[in-house]
Amino acid sequence: MDKSQKRWIYISLGISAIILALMVGSTFNEETLTYLAHMNIFFLILALGLRFISFALWALRIQKMSFSLGYKVPYSHCYNMVVANLLVGALTPGQAGGEPVRIHELYKAKMSVGDATAVVIMERVLDAIMLVALSVCTLLIMGSVIWTLSSGIIFIIFFSLSILILFVVLLLYAVRYPEPAKRMVMRFLHWVEIKMKRPSIQKIISSTDVEFDNFCSGINAFAKHGKAGFVWGSVCTILFWFSEFVVASVILMGLGLPPSVSESMLAQIIIALVSMIPLTPGASGVAELSAASLYALFVPTAVLGIFILLWRLIMFYLNIVFGLIATMFIFKREIMK
């Protein structure tokens, strides 16, 4: 691990640790001790187990989508790449840096770079469609609750959702009209380059030019002979996000509180949207503050800080630990080869 990666780990952990310490310190009182005394370890172990289930579903999605394109990737290889990509996700803004790891590992499993890129791109497409569908349903069912939130949170929710919907609409347009869609995207990026006058924009333009072609080839690959993979991927995506979102409810039960499944699901969907904004590595600070604002609506103040601490421990800190272990297996494999 180089100095740059270590620096991002320190920044990511530092931001999260400071905010968590402030939250726990500001909400800790005698009532908190009562909650801790009656904490049910079984539910906390169950919450941790759900994380491993979500990794298993993610790995199954990759394996089935790869198989539909004609590749037999071992399940153990898929599982290790999923866990290894968590480390990079914790080091990059918006948790969006794991894609190159998965493409590299699929390539090591004897997939072509184009097909490996197609699988990873389709994963993100399925995730985007799933989050848009969940968000729209949530707005229709629990819109009255959302409007009680602060104006800042409401703005971030609708801003993130708008970006996600724009992505899905552009995706559908690109599937139907690939060349016009590419010209439109490139024209927009050149306009940004003229306005901002920064050399880094040119790198983005060059990368977009290549990745858009990869995206179109990936869509065509699944449209022609990967339909089964798309179906399997959709099923695994639904189960994956459900297992991710239900972790918070299980932690609440471990603290002796009702699971508040509908309210917690709403909070998790909003947090997922907010965490997509590339502000800090691994969404550190952003996730904690948004969770505090949302769960404060139905979680007692005395246990709010402890709940968020446990939630981030399972959903973020352990990602780094597991990711380091999985990455070490990859390094060992490469050294032995």
Side-chain angles (χ1 to χ4, degrees), residues 15 47 80 102-103 111 120 123 126 138 175 187 196 202 204 207 218 220 229 268 289 304 325 328 336:
I15 294 173
N80 194 72
R102 301 201 298 283
I103 293 173
M111 285 185 70
V120 173
E123 281 191 278
L126 290 172
T138 299
V175 171
R187 192 179 299 118
M196 297 186 67
Q202 185 57 47
I204 296 175
S207 176
N220 290 331
Q268 290 296 310
L289 292 174
L304 180 62
I325 295 172
M328 288 173 62
M336 290 180 66

Side-chain angles (χ1 to χ4, degrees), residues 104-211:
H104 173 270
E105 286 301 287
L106 287 173
Y107 172 73
K108 286 294 183 178
K110 304 186 185 307
M111 285 185 70
S112 68
V113 175
D115 286 339
T117 303
V119 170
V120 173
I121 288 175
M122 284 306 298
E123 281 191 278
R124 287 293 143 248
V125 169
L126 290 172
D127 287 336
I129 293 174
M130 180 67 179
L131 286 176
V132 167
L134 287 174
S135 301
V136 171
C137 291
T138 299
L139 289 173
L140 294 175
I141 296 172
M142 304 188 69
S144 58
V145 176
I146 293 176
W147 290 114
T148 63
L149 303 174
S150 66
S151 57
I153 293 292
I154 293 174
F155 171 78
I156 293 175
I157 291 171
F158 282 95
F159 176 77
S160 304
L161 184 58
S162 299
I163 296 297
L164 205 56
I165 291 174
L166 180 62
F167 171 74
V168 173
V169 170
L170 182 60
L171 155 72
L172 297 176
Y173 182 74
V175 171
R176 186 69 179 87
Y177 307 103
E179 289 303 321
K182 181 177 180 178
R183 287 197 298 269
M184 181 176 64
V185 171
M186 299 305 292
R187 192 179 299 118
F188 171 74
L189 290 176
H190 282 298
W191 177 81
V192 173
E193 180 186 22
I194 293 172
K195 293 295 182 181
M196 297 186 67
K197 297 179 180 179
R198 291 184 180 179
S200 58
I201 302 297
Q202 185 57 47
K203 295 181 180 180
I204 296 175
I205 293 174
S206 301
S207 176
T208 302
D209 189 21
V210 175
E211 292 303 327

Side-chain angles (χ1 to χ4, degrees), residues 6 91 125 141 152 157 164 185 210 212-213 215 267 293 317 330:
K6 289 181 179 179
L91 302 178
V125 169
I141 296 172
I157 291 171
L164 205 56
V185 171
V210 175
F212 199 95
D213 291 337
F215 164 76
S293 302
Y317 283 90
I330 293 175

Side-chain angles (χ1 to χ4, degrees), residues 39-68:
M39 185 165 51
N40 192 327
I41 301 298
F42 168 77
F43 286 108
L44 299 183
I45 295 175
L46 178 59
L48 180 59
L50 284 170
R51 287 294 285 150
F52 287 102
I53 291 174
S54 68
F55 300 158
L57 290 167
W58 193 348
L60 181 63
R61 178 172 71 173
I62 292 175
Q63 186 190 43
K64 291 297 184 181
M65 293 175 73
S66 301
F67 183 76
S68 71

Side-chain angles (χ1 to χ4, degrees), residues 283-335:
S284 297
V286 176
E288 287 87 351
L289 292 174
S290 57
S293 302
L294 294 164
Y295 280 94
L297 299 174
F298 55 93
V299 173
T301 303
V303 77
L304 180 62
I306 296 297
F307 162 73
I308 296 176
L309 173 63
L310 292 172
W311 174 67
R312 283 299 274 174
L313 176 65
I314 293 174
M315 301 297 292
F316 175 68
Y317 283 90
L318 289 181
N319 283 0
I320 296 177
V321 176
F322 297 148
L324 278 170
I325 295 172
T327 302
M328 288 173 62
F329 279 117
I330 293 175
F331 285 154
K332 181 181 179 180
R333 180 197 70 203
E334 295 300 315
I335 291 173

